[in-house]
Amino acid sequence: MQSFSKLLCFVSGMVVAGAANAGQAEQAYKRGDYAAAVLLWSVLANTGDPKAQDNLGTAYAEGHGVKQDYGQAAAWYRKAADQGDAQAEHNLGSIYDRGLGVKQDFTEAAIWFRKAADQGLAVAQTNLGLLYRDGRGVPQDYIQSAAWLRKAADQGTAIAQYFLGLAYAKGQGVTQDYLEAIAWYRKAAEQGNAFAEHDLGVAYGKGLGVTLDYAQAVSWFQKGANQGDAGAEYDLGVSYYKGLGVPVDYVQAVSWFQKAADQGNAGAEYNLGVAYLGGHGVKQDTAHALILIRKAADQGDATAKAYLIKLEKSEPPAKKA
Protein backbone atom coordinates (compact mmCIF):
# COMPACT_ATOMS: atom_id res chain seq x y z
CA MET A 1 0.00 0.00 0.00
CA GLN A 2 2.88 2.33 0.82
CA SER A 3 4.48 1.62 -2.58
CA PHE A 4 1.18 2.40 -4.33
CA SER A 5 0.95 5.75 -2.51
CA LYS A 6 4.50 6.61 -3.56
CA LEU A 7 3.59 5.76 -7.17
CA LEU A 8 0.57 8.09 -7.05
CA CYS A 9 2.73 10.89 -5.70
CA PHE A 10 5.31 10.31 -8.46
CA VAL A 11 2.69 10.36 -11.24
CA SER A 12 1.04 13.44 -9.73
CA GLY A 13 4.43 15.16 -9.64
CA MET A 14 5.06 14.31 -13.30
CA VAL A 15 1.69 15.83 -14.30
CA VAL A 16 2.38 19.02 -12.36
CA ALA A 17 5.89 19.21 -13.82
CA GLY A 18 4.50 18.69 -17.31
CA ALA A 19 1.99 21.51 -16.86
CA ALA A 20 4.73 23.76 -15.53
CA ASN A 21 7.02 22.92 -18.45
CA ALA A 22 4.23 23.65 -20.91
CA GLY A 23 3.66 27.05 -19.35
CA GLN A 24 7.37 27.80 -19.23
CA ALA A 25 7.74 26.80 -22.88
CA GLU A 26 4.92 29.11 -23.95
CA GLN A 27 6.39 32.01 -21.98
CA ALA A 28 9.84 31.38 -23.45
CA TYR A 29 8.40 31.32 -26.98
CA LYS A 30 6.51 34.59 -26.44
CA ARG A 31 9.62 36.39 -25.23
CA GLY A 32 11.62 35.10 -28.20
CA ASP A 33 13.67 32.49 -26.36
CA TYR A 34 12.88 29.88 -28.99
CA ALA A 35 15.69 27.49 -28.08
CA ALA A 36 14.41 27.16 -24.51
CA ALA A 37 10.86 26.67 -25.73
CA VAL A 38 11.88 23.97 -28.19
CA LEU A 39 13.85 22.14 -25.50
CA LEU A 40 10.86 22.07 -23.16
CA TRP A 41 8.42 21.12 -25.90
CA SER A 42 10.72 18.33 -27.08
CA VAL A 43 10.65 16.74 -23.64
CA LEU A 44 6.87 16.92 -23.48
CA ALA A 45 6.36 15.92 -27.13
CA ASN A 46 8.39 12.76 -26.64
CA THR A 47 6.07 11.78 -23.78
CA GLY A 48 3.15 12.04 -26.21
CA ASP A 49 1.76 15.45 -25.24
CA PRO A 50 -0.25 16.58 -28.33
CA LYS A 51 -0.06 20.32 -27.62
CA ALA A 52 3.70 20.12 -27.28
CA GLN A 53 3.90 18.08 -30.48
CA ASP A 54 1.85 20.69 -32.33
CA ASN A 55 3.96 23.53 -30.95
CA LEU A 56 7.15 21.71 -31.84
CA GLY A 57 5.81 21.28 -35.36
CA THR A 58 5.22 25.01 -35.59
CA ALA A 59 8.75 25.72 -34.34
CA TYR A 60 10.11 23.57 -37.18
CA ALA A 61 7.75 25.18 -39.71
CA GLU A 62 8.85 28.68 -38.73
CA GLY A 63 12.49 27.88 -38.03
CA HIS A 64 12.26 29.15 -34.46
CA GLY A 65 14.82 27.54 -32.16
CA VAL A 66 15.60 24.89 -34.76
CA LYS A 67 16.56 24.84 -38.41
CA GLN A 68 13.45 25.24 -40.55
CA ASP A 69 12.34 21.78 -41.61
CA TYR A 70 8.86 21.27 -43.03
CA GLY A 71 9.31 17.51 -43.05
CA GLN A 72 9.84 17.53 -39.28
CA ALA A 73 6.95 19.97 -38.90
CA ALA A 74 4.64 17.60 -40.77
CA ALA A 75 5.82 14.64 -38.69
CA TRP A 76 5.10 16.37 -35.38
CA TYR A 77 1.80 17.78 -36.58
CA ARG A 78 0.73 14.28 -37.58
CA LYS A 79 1.57 12.86 -34.15
CA ALA A 80 -0.64 15.46 -32.50
CA ALA A 81 -3.35 15.27 -35.18
CA ASP A 82 -3.57 11.49 -34.76
CA GLN A 83 -4.50 12.20 -31.14
CA GLY A 84 -7.33 14.50 -32.24
CA ASP A 85 -5.70 17.86 -31.52
CA ALA A 86 -7.73 20.33 -33.59
CA GLN A 87 -4.97 22.89 -34.12
CA ALA A 88 -2.58 20.17 -35.26
CA GLU A 89 -5.21 18.77 -37.62
CA HIS A 90 -5.54 22.21 -39.17
CA ASN A 91 -1.77 22.72 -39.33
CA LEU A 92 -1.31 19.35 -41.01
CA GLY A 93 -4.03 20.31 -43.49
CA SER A 94 -2.17 23.54 -44.22
CA ILE A 95 1.05 21.60 -44.82
CA TYR A 96 -0.74 19.45 -47.43
CA ASP A 97 -2.55 22.45 -48.90
CA ARG A 98 0.74 24.24 -49.54
CA GLY A 99 2.90 21.20 -50.24
CA LEU A 100 5.44 21.97 -47.52
CA GLY A 101 7.48 18.96 -46.42
CA VAL A 102 4.96 16.69 -48.12
CA LYS A 103 3.63 16.30 -51.64
CA GLN A 104 0.89 18.85 -52.22
CA ASP A 105 -2.40 17.04 -51.81
CA PHE A 106 -5.64 19.02 -51.60
CA THR A 107 -7.65 15.89 -50.80
CA GLU A 108 -5.52 15.26 -47.71
CA ALA A 109 -5.75 18.93 -46.83
CA ALA A 110 -9.55 18.75 -46.98
CA ILE A 111 -9.60 15.65 -44.78
CA TRP A 112 -7.57 17.29 -42.04
CA PHE A 113 -9.32 20.65 -42.32
CA ARG A 114 -12.64 18.86 -41.91
CA LYS A 115 -11.49 17.05 -38.77
CA ALA A 116 -10.49 20.35 -37.21
CA ALA A 117 -13.56 22.15 -38.56
CA ASP A 118 -15.84 19.54 -37.02
CA GLN A 119 -14.25 20.43 -33.67
CA GLY A 120 -15.23 24.05 -34.23
CA LEU A 121 -11.84 25.50 -35.17
CA ALA A 122 -12.72 28.66 -37.11
CA VAL A 123 -9.57 28.84 -39.23
CA ALA A 124 -10.14 25.27 -40.40
CA GLN A 125 -13.78 26.04 -41.18
CA THR A 126 -12.61 28.99 -43.26
CA ASN A 127 -10.05 26.96 -45.20
CA LEU A 128 -12.49 24.12 -45.78
CA GLY A 129 -15.01 26.63 -47.07
CA LEU A 130 -12.46 27.98 -49.52
CA LEU A 131 -11.59 24.48 -50.75
CA TYR A 132 -15.29 23.90 -51.50
CA ARG A 133 -15.50 27.29 -53.21
CA ASP A 134 -12.57 26.53 -55.50
CA GLY A 135 -13.17 22.78 -55.90
CA ARG A 136 -9.75 21.84 -54.56
CA GLY A 137 -9.61 18.40 -52.92
CA VAL A 138 -13.41 18.29 -52.85
CA PRO A 139 -16.08 18.77 -55.52
CA GLN A 140 -16.85 22.43 -56.05
CA ASP A 141 -19.88 23.20 -53.91
CA TYR A 142 -20.81 26.81 -53.21
CA ILE A 143 -23.52 25.82 -50.73
CA GLN A 144 -21.04 23.84 -48.62
CA SER A 145 -18.56 26.66 -49.00
CA ALA A 146 -20.98 29.27 -47.70
CA ALA A 147 -22.08 27.00 -44.84
CA TRP A 148 -18.53 26.51 -43.57
CA LEU A 149 -17.64 30.16 -44.05
CA ARG A 150 -20.69 31.14 -42.03
CA LYS A 151 -19.62 28.92 -39.13
CA ALA A 152 -16.28 30.70 -39.00
CA ALA A 153 -17.80 34.13 -39.66
CA ASP A 154 -20.20 33.66 -36.75
CA GLN A 155 -17.14 33.13 -34.56
CA GLY A 156 -15.86 36.55 -35.61
CA THR A 157 -13.20 35.44 -38.08
CA ALA A 158 -12.58 38.45 -40.33
CA ILE A 159 -11.37 36.61 -43.42
CA ALA A 160 -14.39 34.28 -43.28
CA GLN A 161 -16.68 37.28 -42.91
CA TYR A 162 -15.11 38.81 -45.99
CA PHE A 163 -15.48 35.68 -48.13
CA LEU A 164 -19.05 35.15 -46.91
CA GLY A 165 -19.77 38.72 -47.96
CA LEU A 166 -18.23 37.96 -51.35
CA ALA A 167 -20.47 34.89 -51.67
CA TYR A 168 -23.53 37.10 -51.08
CA ALA A 169 -22.26 39.68 -53.56
CA LYS A 170 -21.84 37.01 -56.24
CA GLY A 171 -24.79 34.82 -55.26
CA GLN A 172 -22.56 31.78 -54.78
CA GLY A 173 -24.19 29.20 -52.50
CA VAL A 174 -26.60 31.84 -51.20
CA THR A 175 -29.17 34.13 -52.79
CA GLN A 176 -27.44 37.23 -54.13
CA ASP A 177 -27.99 39.96 -51.58
CA TYR A 178 -25.88 43.12 -51.56
CA LEU A 179 -27.25 44.18 -48.18
CA GLU A 180 -25.97 40.94 -46.64
CA ALA A 181 -22.71 41.32 -48.52
CA ILE A 182 -22.24 44.81 -47.10
CA ALA A 183 -23.08 43.65 -43.59
CA TRP A 184 -20.36 40.97 -43.69
CA TYR A 185 -17.86 43.22 -45.45
CA ARG A 186 -18.37 45.80 -42.73
CA LYS A 187 -17.79 43.27 -39.94
CA ALA A 188 -14.53 42.22 -41.58
CA ALA A 189 -13.47 45.77 -42.47
CA GLU A 190 -14.01 46.95 -38.92
CA GLN A 191 -11.47 44.30 -37.90
CA GLY A 192 -9.00 45.74 -40.40
CA ASN A 193 -9.36 43.20 -43.22
CA ALA A 194 -7.92 44.99 -46.27
CA PHE A 195 -9.91 42.97 -48.84
CA ALA A 196 -13.15 43.91 -47.09
CA GLU A 197 -12.11 47.55 -46.81
CA HIS A 198 -11.51 47.62 -50.57
CA ASP A 199 -14.76 45.87 -51.50
CA LEU A 200 -16.75 48.03 -49.10
CA GLY A 201 -15.25 51.03 -50.89
CA VAL A 202 -16.30 49.56 -54.24
CA ALA A 203 -19.84 49.11 -52.92
CA TYR A 204 -20.02 52.78 -51.88
CA GLY A 205 -18.47 53.84 -55.19
CA LYS A 206 -21.11 51.94 -57.18
CA GLY A 207 -24.07 52.20 -54.82
CA LEU A 208 -24.35 48.43 -54.31
CA GLY A 209 -26.34 47.72 -51.15
CA VAL A 210 -25.63 51.23 -49.88
CA THR A 211 -26.32 54.79 -51.04
CA LEU A 212 -23.75 55.96 -53.57
CA ASP A 213 -21.16 57.91 -51.61
CA TYR A 214 -17.78 58.65 -53.18
CA ALA A 215 -16.38 60.17 -49.99
CA GLN A 216 -17.15 56.95 -48.10
CA ALA A 217 -15.64 54.96 -50.96
CA VAL A 218 -12.41 56.96 -50.74
CA SER A 219 -12.32 56.53 -46.97
CA TRP A 220 -12.44 52.73 -47.28
CA PHE A 221 -10.05 52.67 -50.25
CA GLN A 222 -7.58 54.64 -48.17
CA LYS A 223 -7.78 52.13 -45.32
CA GLY A 224 -7.15 49.21 -47.67
CA ALA A 225 -4.42 51.07 -49.56
CA ASN A 226 -2.64 51.89 -46.33
CA GLN A 227 -2.36 48.14 -45.78
CA GLY A 228 -0.90 47.60 -49.23
CA ASP A 229 -3.95 46.12 -50.96
CA ALA A 230 -3.31 46.60 -54.68
CA GLY A 231 -6.99 46.85 -55.58
CA ALA A 232 -7.54 49.59 -53.03
CA GLU A 233 -4.43 51.43 -54.20
CA TYR A 234 -5.70 51.29 -57.78
CA ASP A 235 -9.20 52.50 -56.92
CA LEU A 236 -7.82 55.25 -54.71
CA GLY A 237 -5.72 56.36 -57.67
CA VAL A 238 -8.82 56.38 -59.88
CA SER A 239 -10.64 58.48 -57.27
CA TYR A 240 -7.88 61.12 -57.33
CA TYR A 241 -7.59 60.97 -61.12
CA LYS A 242 -11.31 61.55 -61.66
CA GLY A 243 -12.00 63.66 -58.58
CA LEU A 244 -14.49 61.20 -57.08
CA GLY A 245 -14.91 61.95 -53.39
CA VAL A 246 -11.69 63.99 -53.41
CA PRO A 247 -10.41 66.93 -55.48
CA VAL A 248 -8.65 65.98 -58.71
CA ASP A 249 -4.99 65.40 -57.89
CA TYR A 250 -2.88 63.79 -60.59
CA VAL A 251 0.20 63.60 -58.39
CA GLN A 252 -1.68 61.59 -55.77
CA ALA A 253 -3.28 59.48 -58.49
CA VAL A 254 0.10 58.63 -60.00
CA SER A 255 1.51 57.80 -56.58
CA TRP A 256 -1.23 55.25 -55.89
CA PHE A 257 -1.18 53.86 -59.43
CA GLN A 258 2.56 53.31 -59.03
CA LYS A 259 2.08 51.39 -55.77
CA ALA A 260 -0.55 49.15 -57.34
CA ALA A 261 1.48 48.72 -60.55
CA ASP A 262 4.48 47.64 -58.49
CA GLN A 263 2.31 44.74 -57.32
CA GLY A 264 1.40 43.84 -60.88
CA ASN A 265 -2.07 45.40 -61.03
CA ALA A 266 -2.82 45.62 -64.75
CA GLY A 267 -5.33 48.47 -64.52
CA ALA A 268 -2.83 50.54 -62.58
CA GLU A 269 -0.12 49.81 -65.14
CA TYR A 270 -2.38 51.07 -67.91
CA ASN A 271 -3.51 54.20 -66.09
CA LEU A 272 0.04 54.97 -65.07
CA GLY A 273 0.98 54.64 -68.72
CA VAL A 274 -1.77 57.09 -69.70
CA ALA A 275 -0.53 59.52 -67.06
CA TYR A 276 2.99 59.34 -68.53
CA LEU A 277 1.61 59.87 -72.03
CA GLY A 278 -0.25 63.02 -71.02
CA GLY A 279 2.22 64.26 -68.43
CA HIS A 280 -0.48 64.15 -65.76
CA GLY A 281 1.09 64.24 -62.32
CA VAL A 282 4.41 63.12 -63.78
CA LYS A 283 6.87 64.28 -66.43
CA GLN A 284 5.72 63.19 -69.88
CA ASP A 285 7.57 60.09 -71.05
CA THR A 286 6.09 58.31 -74.06
CA ALA A 287 8.63 55.48 -74.09
CA HIS A 288 7.97 54.58 -70.44
CA ALA A 289 4.24 54.96 -71.03
CA LEU A 290 4.29 52.35 -73.77
CA ILE A 291 6.26 49.94 -71.59
CA LEU A 292 3.61 50.19 -68.90
CA ILE A 293 0.71 49.84 -71.33
CA ARG A 294 2.31 46.76 -72.89
CA LYS A 295 2.71 45.23 -69.41
CA ALA A 296 -0.98 45.75 -68.80
CA ALA A 297 -1.88 44.29 -72.19
CA ASP A 298 0.31 41.25 -71.56
CA GLN A 299 -1.76 40.60 -68.43
CA GLY A 300 -4.94 40.68 -70.49
CA ASP A 301 -6.13 44.20 -69.72
CA ALA A 302 -8.73 44.83 -72.44
CA THR A 303 -8.32 48.63 -72.51
CA ALA A 304 -4.55 48.33 -72.85
CA LYS A 305 -4.94 45.81 -75.67
CA ALA A 306 -7.39 48.10 -77.43
CA TYR A 307 -4.99 51.01 -77.13
CA LEU A 308 -2.11 49.07 -78.66
CA ILE A 309 -4.32 48.15 -81.59
CA LYS A 310 -5.32 51.80 -81.99
CA LEU A 311 -1.70 52.82 -81.73
CA GLU A 312 -1.04 51.04 -84.98
CA LYS A 313 -3.68 53.29 -86.51
CA SER A 314 -2.23 56.37 -84.76
CA GLU A 315 -5.31 56.89 -82.65
CA PRO A 316 -5.18 58.43 -79.12
CA PRO A 317 -5.50 56.16 -76.07
CA ALA A 318 -8.76 55.53 -74.29
CA LYS A 319 -9.11 57.25 -70.95
CA LYS A 320 -9.62 54.26 -68.69
CA ALA A 321 -9.31 55.94 -65.32
Side-chain angles (χ1 to χ4, degrees):
M1 189 69 171
Q2 187 176 5
S3 297
F4 182 68
S5 297
K6 288 182 178 179
L7 178 60
L8 282 179
C9 289
F10 175 74
V11 172
S12 177
M14 288 293 288
V15 171
V16 172
N21 285 343
Q24 291 167 7
E26 185 177 348
Q27 290 173 12
Y29 198 82
K30 285 181 178 178
R31 67 173 180 264
D33 190 353
Y34 301 129
V38 165
L39 180 61
L40 291 168
W41 280 331
S42 295
V43 172
L44 292 171
N46 282 302
T47 67
D49 184 292
K51 291 297 180 186
Q53 291 169 341
D54 176 56
N55 287 331
L56 191 55
T58 298
Y60 273 108
E62 296 179 352
H64 288 165
V66 288
K67 183 179 179 180
Q68 189 175 55
D69 187 329
Y70 290 116
Q72 281 285 345
W76 284 111
Y77 285 151
R78 184 175 293 278
K79 288 179 184 291
D82 285 342
Q83 295 189 67
D85 184 88
Q87 187 62 55
E89 290 168 345
H90 169 262
N91 288 341
L92 186 57
S94 294
I95 285 284
Y96 276 108
D97 186 46
R98 299 168 63 191
L100 300 174
V102 294
K103 183 179 179 181
Q104 189 173 48
D105 188 329
F106 296 126
T107 301
E108 275 291 306
I111 289 170
W112 290 107
F113 284 153
R114 183 180 294 278
K115 288 178 183 288
D118 284 340
Q119 292 196 62
L121 191 67
V123 66
Q125 292 168 342
T126 302
N127 286 332
L128 184 59
L130 294 178
L131 288 185
Y132 272 112
R133 185 195 69 166
D134 299 334
R136 291 184 295 127
V138 290
Q140 189 174 55
D141 187 329
Y142 291 126
I143 293 176
Q144 281 279 353
S145 174
W148 284 110
L149 289 172
R150 183 178 293 278
K151 288 179 184 291
D154 285 340
Q155 292 192 61
T157 304
I159 191 65
Q161 292 169 340
Y162 165 69
F163 280 115
L164 183 58
L166 193 61
Y168 274 107
K170 294 183 176 181
Q172 293 181 333
V174 291
T175 301
Q176 188 177 50
D177 186 334
Y178 288 119
L179 287 176
E180 273 292 306
I182 292 303
W184 288 109
Y185 284 159
R186 192 177 299 280
K187 287 178 183 289
E190 288 174 350
Q191 293 192 66
N193 181 276
F195 298 138
E197 289 167 346
H198 171 239
D199 283 13
L200 192 53
V202 171
Y204 274 108
K206 294 183 177 180
L208 299 174
V210 289
T211 302
L212 183 72
D213 188 330
Y214 292 126
Q216 277 285 340
V218 167
S219 175
W220 286 109
F221 290 152
Q222 185 74 61
K223 290 178 185 291
N226 287 344
Q227 293 195 66
D229 181 81
E233 291 168 345
Y234 166 73
D235 280 319
L236 186 57
V238 170
S239 298
Y240 276 110
Y241 201 91
K242 290 186 172 183
L244 300 174
V246 287
V248 171
D249 188 330
Y250 291 133
V251 173
Q252 280 276 23
V254 165
S255 174
W256 289 109
F257 285 152
Q258 184 66 66
K259 289 178 185 291
D262 287 343
Q263 295 191 62
N265 184 285
E269 289 170 342
Y270 175 77
N271 281 338
L272 191 56
V274 171
Y276 272 103
L277 279 174
H280 295 156
V282 70
K283 184 178 179 180
Q284 188 177 41
D285 187 334
T286 302
H288 188 52
L290 291 177
I291 289 172
L292 288 164
I293 292 171
R294 289 187 193 282
K295 280 187 176 182
D298 288 343
Q299 289 198 69
D301 185 274
T303 311
K305 285 182 176 180
Y307 169 65
L308 291 178
I309 292 172
K310 290 180 179 181
L311 183 65
E312 297 176 357
K313 301 176 182 179
S314 299
E315 296 183 23
K319 293 185 178 180
K320 182 174 182 179

